[in-house]
């Protein structure tokens, strides 16, 4: 516990984030399945148009996993790339956290399946579920294990096979989602500040606005529940949209406030890739320029917990983020849940 606090961007009111040693993201990776489902493909499945989807969401295509390719496969592929990027062997990993709403099965957890697939035999493994906010929730949890010196190396993954819970007869939702995975390796590095702050929030009173009613203890699988299509994602799009903008703006502002940072100091904003109109509204209200905002939703749609993880990896690979740059991640999802993180890269 003797590590000095990071030398810059410290806000005394965010002390809890510096109670232990700093936590850095030392490697990132992502994986998306090969199959591309275009807007034109969707026009043959539901009553929609390329023009409606692009103007209302910004999405042009999304990736769909093969029938025998599960969330753990997507997660393992992303994890392997992140480990390679970090120069870490699977045996060095102490803990695997998978954020997902589409686990391979209710149990065992997907993190255990990933542990086996990548050969991280020393690692403890568990899943967390915070829907589209899952990756930042998992980052925060992983960070706590690093800061407390419980573990040296934590692998955090956001992975989804949303195509399995998408109702392909519902045009209100089926145009939005895609499959994929992103991963980050956490360690403490003396020469790097890493995660400067993370803040999370939730409002359980709005849970019914975005949910999958079937498959749990309330509506276990029965012929009737399947008949009623309860095992598919349901969303009140308009309400979710409004709440997403408000919560992402507030979470982003809170994260900046905790680090005593102005939005102009942020090199790259990586928001949850839900809808271009949401991202535009969030950027405008945060006072950011469009150039600061990273977007890849045109290629992948909304991949829930994988969304910012994939985007972070792509932003790094495209050179949009360089060492020392300040990055703001901000997310919103079912629950409702939301979160933001500031990273010094
Ligand atoms: O990951 C968690 C966060 N998720 C989100 O934040 C998603 C938030 N919500 C949204 O992105 C938007 O609300 C949607 C993209 C889902 C919908 O956009 P909207 O501008 O809110 O449209 P709407 O739901 O108000 O629908 C407008 C019209 C309706 O027709 P009527 O009732 O006005 O005749 C819909 O039936 O558009 C119709 N519509 C479609 N038309 C063609 C809805 N979906 C489609 C479609 N193609 N795919």
């Amino acid at each position: 516990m003797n590590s000095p606090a990071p030398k810059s961007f410290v806000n005394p009111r965010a002390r809890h984030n510096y109670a232990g040693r700093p936590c850095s993201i030392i490697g990132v990776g992502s994986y998306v399945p090969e199959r591309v489902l275009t807007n034109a493909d969707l026009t043959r499945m539901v009553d929609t148009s390329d023009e409606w989807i692009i103007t209302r969401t910004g999405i042009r295509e999304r990736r769909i996993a093969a029938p025998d390719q599960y969330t753990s496969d997507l997660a393992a592929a992303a994890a392997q790339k992140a480990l390679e990027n970090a120069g870490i062997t699977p045996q060095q990993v102490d803990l695997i956290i998978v954020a997902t709403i589409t686990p391979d099965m209710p149990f065992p957890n997907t993190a255990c399946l990933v542990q086996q697939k990548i050969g991280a035999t020393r690692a403890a493994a568990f899943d967390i579920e915070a829907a589209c906010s899952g990756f930042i929730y998992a980052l925060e949890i992983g960070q706590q294990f690093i800061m407390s010196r419980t573990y040296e190396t934590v692998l955090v993954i956001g992975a989804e096979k949303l195509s399995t819970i998408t109702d392909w007869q519902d045009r209100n939702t089926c145009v939005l989602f895609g499959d994929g995975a992103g991963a980050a390796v956490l360690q403490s590095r003396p020469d790097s500040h890493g995660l400067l702050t993370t803040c999370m929030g939730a409002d359980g009173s709005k849970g019914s606005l975005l949910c999958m009613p079937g498959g749990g203890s309330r509506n276990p699988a029965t012929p009737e529940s399947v008949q009623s299509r309860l095992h598919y994602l349901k969303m009140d799009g308009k309400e979710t949209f409004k709440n997403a903008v408000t919560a992402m703006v507030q979470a982003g502002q809170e994260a900046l406030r905790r680090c005593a940072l102005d939005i102009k100091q942020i090199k790259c904003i990586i928001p949850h890739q839900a809808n271009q109109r949401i991202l535009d509204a969030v950027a405008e209200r945060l006072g950011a320029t469009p150039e600061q905002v990273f977007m890849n939703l045109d290629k992948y749609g909304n991949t829930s917990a994988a969304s910012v993880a994939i985007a972070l990896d792509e932003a790094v690979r495209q050179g949009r983020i360089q060492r020392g740059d300040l990055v703001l991640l901000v997310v919103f999802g079912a629950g409702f849940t939301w979160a933001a993180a500031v990273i010094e890269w």
Side-chain angles (χ1 to χ4, degrees):
M1 305 291 167
N2 297 325
S3 298
K7 61 179 181 287
S8 57
F9 312 120
V10 178
N11 178 348
R13 284 171 296 190
R15 266 246 155 77
H16 64 280
N17 276 84
Y18 301 109
R21 59 183 176 167
C23 171
S24 292
I25 296 177
I26 63 159
V28 284
S30 65
Y31 172 81
V32 290
E34 270 172 39
R35 185 181 158 210
V36 175
L37 185 74
T38 64
N39 291 349
D41 296 329
L42 283 163
T43 62
R44 292 185 278 277
M45 297 160 67
V46 288
D47 180 15
T48 190
S49 66
D50 181 44
E51 198 252 335
W52 191 96
I53 301 171
I54 291 175
T55 53
R56 304 312 291 165
T57 73
I59 301 166
R60 291 174 184 274
E61 57 189 42
R62 64 288 292 143
R63 300 300 180 97
I64 304 294
D68 62 351
Q69 197 177 30
Y70 313 120
T71 297
S72 64
D73 296 311
L74 312 182
Q80 273 158 343
K81 291 187 185 179
L83 291 174
E84 209 176 288
N85 183 241
I88 294 288
T89 65
Q91 288 74 29
Q92 285 175 268
V93 177
D94 299 307
L95 173 66
I96 302 170
I97 308 173
V98 173
T100 187
I101 54 169
T102 48
D104 286 24
M105 52 190 119
F107 67 89
N109 66 46
T110 301
C112 280
L113 304 173
V114 172
Q115 187 234 37
Q116 188 267 325
K117 282 179 179 162
I118 66 171
T121 46
R122 286 181 52 251
F126 63 85
D127 291 0
I128 67 120
E129 202 270 81
C132 305
S133 307
F135 186 71
I136 298 187
Y137 267 61
L139 267 187
E140 162 83 57
I141 297 166
Q143 173 187 232
Q144 298 298 332
F145 281 105
I146 298 288
M147 288 197 314
S148 65
R149 296 174 185 267
T150 307
Y151 291 127
E152 293 303 315
T153 307
V154 177
L155 175 59
V156 174
I157 307 168
E160 302 286 9
K161 188 176 178 182
L162 293 177
S163 55
T164 56
I165 61 164
T166 299
D167 186 344
W168 295 105
Q169 295 178 14
D170 176 13
R171 71 173 183 172
N172 291 292
T173 53
C174 76
V175 301
L176 303 172
F177 301 102
D179 301 335
V185 182
L186 309 183
Q187 270 192 355
S188 190
R189 290 276 166 100
D191 58 339
S192 162
H193 303 309
L195 279 154
L196 299 184
T197 197
T198 46
C199 52
M200 308 184 289
D203 180 357
S205 72
K206 297 190 174 142
S208 61
L209 295 173
L210 177 50
C211 65
M212 188 177 95
S217 59
R218 186 187 295 199
N219 297 302
T222 60
E224 293 73 33
S225 73
V226 173
Q227 182 75 25
S228 309
R229 309 185 81 73
L230 297 187
H231 301 271
Y232 292 123
L233 177 158
K234 319 278 178 201
M235 178 170 71
D236 179 331
K238 269 207 185 322
E239 278 306 308
T240 304
F241 189 111
K242 279 190 267 174
N243 281 273
V245 173
T246 307
M248 287 168 81
V249 169
Q250 284 178 7
Q253 287 170 336
E254 172 63 13
L256 293 172
R257 190 191 64 78
R258 287 187 189 183
C259 301
L261 285 170
D262 186 273
I263 190 72
K264 293 185 181 62
Q265 293 168 271
I266 299 292
K267 175 73 185 307
C268 188
I269 302 169
I270 302 189
H272 171 46
Q273 308 283 311
N275 183 318
Q276 171 134 25
R277 290 184 296 135
I278 294 179
L279 273 50
D280 291 345
V282 169
E284 193 193 328
R285 290 187 201 183
L286 284 174
T289 62
E291 294 71 41
Q292 282 173 285
V293 181
F294 186 84
M295 283 198 211
N296 62 4
L297 60 78
D298 54 323
K299 294 187 294 179
Y300 306 131
N302 179 347
T303 57
S304 191
S307 161
V308 284
I310 296 171
L312 179 63
D313 177 50
E314 291 203 341
V316 171
R317 281 193 287 123
Q318 290 172 18
R320 289 279 300 271
I321 303 172
Q322 306 287 340
R323 188 152 165 76
D325 285 344
L326 292 165
V327 181
L328 173 66
L329 308 184
V330 58
V331 292
F332 178 84
F336 287 144
T337 54
W338 55 87
V342 179
I343 305 166
E344 190 182 25
W345 200 253

